[in-house]
Amino acid sequence: MSDRPQNANVAFVRTEMLDEQPAPALSKGVVAWLRESLFSSVPYTILTLFSLYVLYVIIPPIFSFVFTNAVWTGADRAVCATEAQGGIQPDGWFGACWAYVGDYANQFIYGRYPDEEQWRVNIVGLLFFGGLAPLLIPSAPFKRQNILFMAVVFPIAALILLTGGHFEVGGLYVPLAVIAIAGLALAYLFARLSESDPLPSLKATGMIFVGLFVLLFILGFDFGLTHVETEVWGGLLVTLVIAVTGIAASLPLGIALALGRRSALPIVRFFSIVFIEFWRGVPLITVLFMSSVMLPLFLPEGVSFDKLLRALIGVALFSSAYMAEVVRGGLQALPKGQYEGAMALGLNWMQMMRMIILPQALKLVIPGIVNTFIGLFKDTTLVLIIGLFDFLGQIQSSYSDPTWSSPVQSLTGYLFAAFIYFVFCFGMSRYSMFMERQLDTGHKR
């Protein structure tokens, strides 16, 4: 017998569409997010409940210490101590002493920088953040002028404003002239060895040394500012000076070292490898001790460098070795076809690196570069061991003041330091993620 239906005109396909129906209540909104993210399985549910319990145990006491029980105003330790400790707070009180932070805010920012000269630090801060903000905004105009300002004008202005300028540089003109001649010879030799036109390298080297002669003249000029020794600098000022100098110096040095390590010239590759491996093989504390204690012993009698300057050089060289390896990772991540394509276009080595290779390599290693910057910013706290009072060191030095000595003083100080460091580090991290999205460096699957 045949299985065909007796009525062949019966249709099994709907001829009229149903009206749109709302999604099930459990598949959208907050409820759906909770089910998918926090309670999607038994292990996830257990972890979520355990995490909520931990937060319940930790957050209320912290909130109470930081806000509700905190003391915001006062003149001395009495406002931050209990009656049994000689203060005015009831026994059992436990809260942050923000009055102490407010009283020491000036020292935390400027250290022992003279009060009547702190306007110079404020101007440097305005110049720095005023120049940095448009530099970090991709849509801001005048990028080239902004980079020129931050790379050339700002460092010179900051050095003169913070120190007072009028340095003894009269004896440096002749040695610089000798170095300029040697630099021009090396530029010519390097261009010849790399089979590129030597004229651009000679022009660039010549402009650099002309700029150095102009810099010497400016540094030796008397602007009438009072000289402020770096021994009295401290607090956030020292932290930012070391961090910004290290970051600004380590990136170009790291790029140069990374290119040198991959160079086809054996002598360049050898010295780059030796430099990188040496600085990566010693801890930063050793570098700081060497720059502060050992280096003066090897200098001729009567010759000395500023302690902060020695620390800046040590931090910059140390960071550049790590930065070089980060950049080298980006260079090695590029396929060989990029190099071959650039050479097929007739580009010389400098053009190939500047226009083809480095833009792609640096884009790939943005997270690693920012990670190095964050590590460097936090490592600035190590300068305390050589007698430089950075932000954390300035806070620790305030603990010896009996005016604010109380059981909650150190806890409040460390909490304040953690907050400031977190703001800077989190800001750098978020900007890194923003730039990754802007440049679309993620490999979406």
Side-chain angles (χ1 to χ4, degrees), residues 75-98:
D76 55 27
R77 65 177 299 277
V79 298
C80 298
T82 63
E83 294 176 352
Q85 298 162 350
I88 62 174
Q89 300 295 339
D91 291 339
W93 172 85
F94 187 66
C97 188
W98 298 122

Side-chain angles (χ1 to χ4, degrees), residues 118-156:
Q118 289 177 1
W119 61 271
R120 288 153 52 175
V121 180
N122 297 334
I123 290 180
V124 171
L126 288 175
L127 290 175
F128 175 69
F129 290 106
L132 184 65
L135 191 63
L136 298 181
I137 300 174
S139 59
F142 307 111
K143 275 287 185 291
R144 182 170 298 180
Q145 293 83 351
N146 203 342
I147 292 174
L148 185 65
F149 170 78
M150 292 299 290
V152 179
V153 179
F154 171 74
I156 299 173

